[in-house]
Amino acid sequence: MKKYAIVGTGDRAAAFGKPMADAFPNEVEFVGVFDSNPLRAHTFAQEHGGVPVYTDFDTMLSQSGAELYVIATPDYTHHKYIIRTMEAGFDVVTEKPMTTDSDKCKAILEAEQRTGRQVTVAFNCRFMPYMAQLKTIIEEGTIGRILSIDFNWYLDTLHGAQYFRRWHRHMHQSGGLFVHKSTHHFDLVNWWLDDEPVQVGAMGTRQYFGASREQRGERCLTCSFKKSCEHYIDIQASRYLREFYYDNEKEDGYIRDKCVFGDDIDIYDTMSAQVQYKRGALLNYTLVAHSPYKNWSATFNGTGGRMEAGEYFRGPRAEEPMHHIQIYNRAGEVISRQSKKATGSHGGGDYRLQQMICTQAEDELRQRAGSKSGAMAMLIGVAANRSIAEGKNIRIQDLLD
């Protein structure tokens, strides 16, 4: 039985806490947790079976008995925990993005090679059955060699606003949504194509969130406009937000309900990017963080035809029980495929990702993502941010040299 510990107690840590040990009781055991905020760590431990809390990370490395460490801290700190864990002789599972800039990325790759340990990046989107079905169709050659992909992801304001009220609102902490959020999507495309990006051009704006309205405050809790703001959240009414964050503010000063229209926000809320791949395929990508409803759509153009897919999470058609895929071949035929929507968090992806981690299940579709996959996905986002700043295309190799 493999023992694991968790570093960081944010939203994503909950998926790897007691739920993973409960799902795979014969394979893994949850043995410890560390967070820079010890009050939140204790709250997390109580929610997850009373596991031991470590107030010092190095002490956890030496005393917890864990063989595997799950890194779920804020993105800009991933690298230091990943590297220290490998140097202590242990393998690592890290939440996406693997890190937030090219220097930290190179440091992780060097440490992995130097220590001989292994980094796994938690790209749960690869494990969603719907996404895996698209991968299978592509590998079957149904639409031939992929020439281009148009991929659009629309976050509704319920989801999108979350990034603008938390630490993600600062580019130096999250890399912006091109790194923090889009890394999921860039990895899917890299995996679908089984190819590596060469260069990136991008544009980004911030027009909905940020300092776009005069009626704003410092945080929702004390805001004078809470009755009229559609993005107001009551941090004291939610047991989770109150116990994990509001009650623990006194320890580190972290405010979980900052105003989404704050002056200090410097990430984009509307983005588009073009990516060229080694074998010539092009990606046209869009991310919007302020849509009235939440969905995504993708069109695959190949030498043998065209494939269309997509999903509604909230809004029109969200309650449909089936996923749909439309394939148009060169003979003028239309082939429809459908599959029942998977249950579970992130479209069933979380459970299947953890199954791969815990049981070393067969990996026919190469869904398990290592450090190279983590690097290629996040570097597209890094290149996109630099392209916006410098007004030119950015080559991925230049970020690694």
Side-chain angles (χ1 to χ4, degrees):
M1 179 177 290
K2 180 174 290 188
K3 297 179 179 181
Y4 70 95
I6 293 180
V7 186
T9 58
D11 292 353
R12 285 300 297 154
F16 287 97
K18 192 171 180 289
M20 187 163 79
D22 288 345
F24 305 98
N26 298 321
E27 287 82 17
V28 295
E29 180 184 1
F30 184 22
V31 297
V33 62
F34 165 80
D35 192 282
S36 59
N37 184 323
L39 297 181
R40 192 159 57 242
H42 281 283
T43 304
F44 185 91
Q46 292 170 7
E47 292 275 335
H48 292 260
V51 297
V53 173
Y54 293 87
T55 57
D56 179 77
F57 179 61
D58 291 315
T59 301
M60 184 165 75
L61 287 174
S62 62
Q63 297 183 9
S64 69
E67 307 160 73
L68 179 71
Y69 287 80
V70 178
I71 311 301
T73 59
D75 301 349
Y76 67 102
T77 66
H78 284 181
H79 68 294
K80 68 177 183 179
Y81 293 113
I82 292 171
I83 293 171
R84 284 164 66 186
T85 300
M86 290 193 295
E87 289 177 340
F90 304 108
D91 292 333
V92 180
V93 174
T94 181
E95 261 302 325
K96 62 78 196 167
M98 187 172 75
T99 187
T100 54
D101 64 47
S102 56
D103 288 340
K104 294 171 184 174
C105 177
K106 287 185 285 188
I108 291 171
L109 297 177
E110 185 278 329
E112 185 180 40
Q113 185 176 27
R114 170 168 45 85
T115 62
R117 306 316 302 180
Q118 185 179 42
V119 177
T120 297
V121 183
F123 283 130
N124 50 15
C125 284
R126 290 189 181 199
F127 291 84
M128 296 177 181
Y130 190 25
M131 303 302 190
Q133 185 180 12
L134 296 173
K135 172 71 170 174
T136 299
I137 292 172
I138 292 170
E139 294 211 337
E140 288 172 348
T142 305
I143 58 171
R145 180 170 64 87
I146 303 298
L147 305 176
S148 70
I149 299 177
D150 299 303
F151 195 9
N152 304 305
W153 203 284
Y154 300 96
L155 300 173
D156 61 6
T157 48
L158 181 64
H159 187 165
Q162 297 303 319
Y163 300 114
F164 293 85
R165 69 173 92 255
R166 299 183 290 176
W167 54 264
H168 309 72
R169 65 203 265 137
H170 298 136
M171 188 72 76
H172 73 279
Q173 293 183 320
S174 68
L177 294 180
F178 259 142
V179 174
H180 177 79
K181 183 64 178 178
S182 301
T183 297
H184 263 320
H185 313 145
F186 296 144
D187 175 70
L188 278 173
V189 176
N190 296 349
W191 176 59
W192 283 330
L193 292 174
D194 192 22
D195 203 355
E196 294 183 12
V198 175
Q199 64 176 341
V200 180
M203 291 184 287
T205 62
R206 181 177 59 260
Q207 300 183 77
Y208 184 89
F209 296 109
S212 61
R213 66 170 65 173
E214 293 183 4
Q215 293 183 335
R216 61 183 189 271
E218 179 187 359
R219 61 181 300 180
C220 288
L221 182 66
T222 58
C223 185
S224 302
F225 307 102
K226 61 177 66 176
K227 292 184 178 180
S228 60
C229 182
E230 66 274 30
H231 303 300
Y232 167 73
I233 63 169
D234 189 340
I235 195 170
Q236 294 176 315
S238 164
R239 186 185 72 87
Y240 169 72
L241 293 179
R242 182 181 68 253
E243 293 183 357
F244 271 82
Y245 294 99
Y246 179 70
D247 290 348
N248 299 324
E249 286 180 9
K250 56 184 175 291
E251 181 67 23
D252 58 8
Y254 175 56
I255 296 175
R256 182 64 166 67
D257 65 336
K258 280 197 169 184
C259 179
V260 299
F261 303 108
D263 293 333
D264 60 321
I265 294 172
D266 63 357
I267 65 172
Y268 310 116
D269 59 22
T270 310
M271 294 148 283
S272 64
Q274 278 196 318
V275 185
Q276 182 182 38
Y277 284 82
K278 281 187 176 180
R279 293 199 293 270
L282 297 178
L283 166 66
N284 298 299
Y285 172 81
T286 297
L287 176 68
V288 170
H290 46 78
S291 174
Y293 59 87
K294 181 179 176 183
N295 76 305
W296 66 270
S297 63
T299 299
F300 303 78
N301 302 294
T303 56
R306 171 188 175 107
M307 176 168 65
E308 297 176 354
E311 182 176 7
Y312 289 80
F313 300 104
R314 280 191 291 269
R317 297 172 55 186
E319 301 304 319
E320 291 183 358
M322 306 296 288
H323 288 306
H324 300 276
I325 299 173
Q326 293 287 99
I327 301 170
Y328 304 84
N329 64 26
R330 298 292 180 185
E333 300 170 324
V334 180
I335 304 167
S336 298
R337 298 191 184 183
Q338 62 179 16
S339 57
K340 188 175 181 180
K341 288 184 178 179
T343 58
S345 57
H346 288 93
D350 282 341
Y351 173 82
R352 290 166 176 80
L353 165 66
Q354 293 169 10
Q355 183 180 42
M356 180 71 68
I357 293 169
C358 296
T359 67
Q360 300 296 315
E362 290 189 17
D363 193 11
E364 294 181 0
L365 291 178
R366 303 176 301 285
Q367 289 167 290
R368 189 180 186 113
S371 59
K372 184 175 182 180
S373 296
M376 289 299 105
M378 59 81 56
L379 286 173
I380 294 177
V382 171
N385 285 332
R386 185 171 295 186
S387 174
I388 295 169
E390 299 180 9
K392 64 180 183 181
N393 287 351
I394 304 296
R395 294 183 61 83
I396 298 295
Q397 191 58 47
D398 290 343
L399 301 176
L400 290 171
D401 287 340

